[in-house]
Amino acid sequence: MSANERLESIAQKVRAGERLDFEDGLALYDPAVPLQEVGELANEVRERMHGNLAYYNINTHLNPTNVCIYRCRFCAFRSDLRDPKGYLMTDDQILDRGQEAYNNGCTEMHIVGGLHHKMPYEWYRGVLQQLHDRFPTIHLKAWTPVEIGWFEHLTKMSVSEILLDLRSAGLGSLPGGGAEIFHSEVRDQICEHKANAHKWFDVHRQAHRLGMRSNCTMLYGHLEQAFHRVDHLLRLRELQDETGGFQTFIPLAFHPENTQLTNIAKPSALADLRNMAVARLLLDNIPHVKAYWIMLGIETAQIALHYGADDIDGTVRHELIYHDAGAKTPEFLSVQRIRQLIEETGRIPVERDTLYRKIQRDETDFRNWSVGEPVAVAS
Ligand code: V47
């Protein structure tokens, strides 16, 4: 079958609401299949699900330590214990960040970091507890299966006991990090020691069973090939069939600066757009696909809103993981700017909270907000 015939048969399946398979995924990644047409198909699905709306939130990042026992080859953020670059935030610094987030009207703090050689589980739990006690309206999206796996090791508690304990301390949901590429051929080369695919899925499955929501990601543009990416996406789709707990998929483009993989070039904007579109087409059961502007760059993120993405992440502040790895994007965007960027693409900006409920803000004091209905997603 020629590339055009292949695309035509995929388009027929998509329009009939039929599920795409592994071979379809491979075909969508084939450079002979024109990106523009893959994008148009993904855009069709995106508009069927979300109409002309594009979501954003007001959020901030907190990375309480960069000291990490692991040495993932793609990571520029981590530090050894005795490296001058290493840091560990104090409780006061953490609370100052909470205050800043509150003053900026944030509905979410995204909290991840290193696995510090010396800090006990209680410290990680305490990060959540103190923020939640002082700023209970801010949703804490925190810790990936990599951290949860480490907490298991530290405490000998089960994953569900840890999740319940963290929830009682203020955990709201799990971010999508730590997924990288699940296939062991690649995973063993880029992060051989940390949580494997089985652990990653186990933690999300347990979180979903407890009624928590989570996100999922895929790190592309390093050592993986197209079939590793298709395998990764289909594994996510399979868990979503089982639990329905994923809210958003975020494709993450590898940034090589200051990593152990500096010989690899950063993926092109065309590769970014293809990953966005293929994800929207294969992940037919995950409601949202996010164009994370910090990682994509503002222009590509805007275009991605017509290549399958319906969300652009948030205002963001204090992002380190991408900026340490060479991202040239600004440190944050104002709400006005983010809305303007969305409007420039012809989409309608909608502020949402972490759980995709509409946010209404007081016109006289933007720090006063209330949570409305969940956003509607057509299947
Ligand atoms: O797990 C680390 C990736 C992830 C590099 O849930 C890198 O809403 C590229 O998961 N180049 C963390 N990627 C970020 C993340 C995320 C981001 C935005 C929103 C959400 C969400 C989650 O970043 C890591 C890893 O996969 N990463 N280093 C690098 N040099």
Side-chain angles (χ1 to χ4, degrees):
M1 218 190 274
S2 73
N4 273 347
E5 286 164 348
R6 185 85 220 181
L7 185 63
E8 191 42 47
S9 101
I10 292 173
Q12 277 173 16
K13 275 188 173 178
V14 169
R15 289 182 186 128
E18 272 178 48
R19 183 156 263 197
L20 301 184
D21 62 21
F22 195 90
E23 294 304 319
D24 295 326
L26 280 184
L28 290 168
Y29 273 121
D30 181 348
V33 173
L35 169 63
Q36 187 59 32
E37 291 177 35
V38 177
E40 275 171 23
L41 202 54
N43 191 47
E44 224 176 285
V45 174
R46 178 251 188 261
E47 290 189 350
R48 193 163 77 201
M49 294 173 89
H50 305 287
N52 207 19
L53 307 179
Y55 301 103
Y56 70 95
N57 70 351
I58 302 188
N59 65 345
T60 188
H61 285 222
L62 176 73
N63 307 122
T65 180
N66 62 350
V67 173
C68 191
I69 55 159
Y70 291 135
R71 294 183 169 188
C72 299
R73 290 176 70 200
F74 57 80
C75 184
F77 164 71
R78 73 160 301 280
S79 166
D80 285 336
L81 187 58
R82 287 178 227 298
D83 190 321
K85 176 185 172 233
Y87 70 83
L88 176 69
M89 290 175 77
T90 62
D91 289 354
D92 283 349
Q93 288 170 326
I94 290 168
L95 284 174
D96 283 351
R97 286 292 189 79
Q99 187 66 54
E100 181 193 66
Y102 179 80
N103 294 344
N104 288 330
C106 288
T107 58
E108 169 190 287
M109 288 183 88
H110 179 163
I111 307 174
V112 288
L115 308 183
H116 194 289
H117 308 53
K118 299 209 161 161
M119 301 316 283
Y121 167 70
E122 288 68 28
W123 179 76
Y124 291 87
R125 186 186 191 281
V127 170
L128 302 183
Q129 184 81 67
Q130 57 186 320
L131 285 168
H132 184 64
D133 285 352
R134 188 79 73 86
F135 310 104
T137 55
I138 300 181
H139 180 108
L140 304 180
K141 181 175 81 175
W143 314 136
T144 72
V146 180
E147 284 103 335
I148 307 288
W150 180 239
F151 302 157
E152 239 186 314
H153 168 77
L154 290 176
T155 62
K156 313 298 173 221
M157 285 154 70
S158 69
V159 167
S160 60
E161 284 168 342
I162 292 167
L163 289 170
L164 285 170
D165 187 47
L166 292 177
R167 183 157 74 178
S168 73
L171 179 68
S173 65
L174 300 182
E180 324 317 355
I181 285 283
F182 295 131
H183 201 297
S184 57
E185 272 173 20
V186 177
R187 200 173 185 87
D188 291 350
Q189 291 189 68
I190 59 171
C191 54
E192 81 171 289
H193 297 295
K194 81 173 183 191
N196 62 20
H198 178 78
K199 176 58 64 189
W200 194 94
F201 278 103
D202 182 43
V203 170
H204 283 268
R205 181 180 286 109
Q206 308 256 14
H208 297 170
R209 281 189 184 151
L210 295 172
M212 293 173 77
R213 293 309 190 97
S214 70
N215 293 341
C216 50
T217 58
M218 174 176 77
L219 178 67
Y220 64 88
H222 43 92
L223 304 180
E224 91 292 353
Q225 295 173 41
F227 78 91
H228 298 120
R229 294 195 287 269
V230 176
D231 170 74
H232 187 99
L233 295 170
L234 295 192
R235 290 197 211 196
L236 292 172
R237 189 172 79 179
E238 203 178 310
L239 182 64
Q240 183 73 342
D241 277 343
E242 188 188 316
T243 64
F246 289 128
Q247 309 188 101
T248 312
F249 172 76
I250 310 117
L252 298 173
F254 175 56
H255 282 47
E257 246 177 68
N258 305 317
T259 73
Q260 293 173 49
L261 298 169
T262 43
N263 55 317
I264 297 175
K266 188 172 168 292
S268 67
L270 299 184
D272 294 336
L273 294 173
R274 193 178 286 264
N275 274 293
M276 198 67 65
V278 176
R280 181 61 289 165
L281 291 168
L282 288 186
L283 300 177
D284 53 17
N285 53 3
I286 297 188
H288 302 281
V289 173
K290 191 188 275 188
Y292 183 36
W293 65 265
I294 284 269
M295 172 271 296
L296 288 174
I298 288 168
E299 294 79 7
T300 309
Q302 283 183 300
I303 300 169
L305 291 178
H306 286 266
Y307 276 74
D310 60 281
D311 192 301
I312 197 158
D313 199 76
T315 45
V316 185
R317 221 173 260 264
H318 304 295
E319 197 288 327
L320 294 177
I321 294 173
Y322 282 86
H323 287 100
D324 282 358
K328 301 288 181 279
T329 37
E331 208 252 322
F332 77 101
L333 291 176
S334 67
V335 174
Q336 195 191 11
R337 180 86 180 112
I338 218 163
R339 292 183 69 91
Q340 182 196 17
L341 291 173
I342 292 173
E343 279 163 358
E344 278 173 11
T345 71
R347 303 292 191 202
I348 301 163
V350 177
E351 186 187 345
R352 52 130 183 122
D353 71 355
T354 311
L355 303 175
Y356 285 86
R357 296 170 301 189
K358 287 187 193 147
I359 293 293
Q360 277 110 33
R361 289 205 179 247
D362 188 332
E363 283 185 13
T364 52
D365 181 357
F366 73 100
R367 281 174 308 180
N368 281 337
W369 45 269
S370 60
V371 174
E373 290 295 302
V375 306
V377 182
S379 53

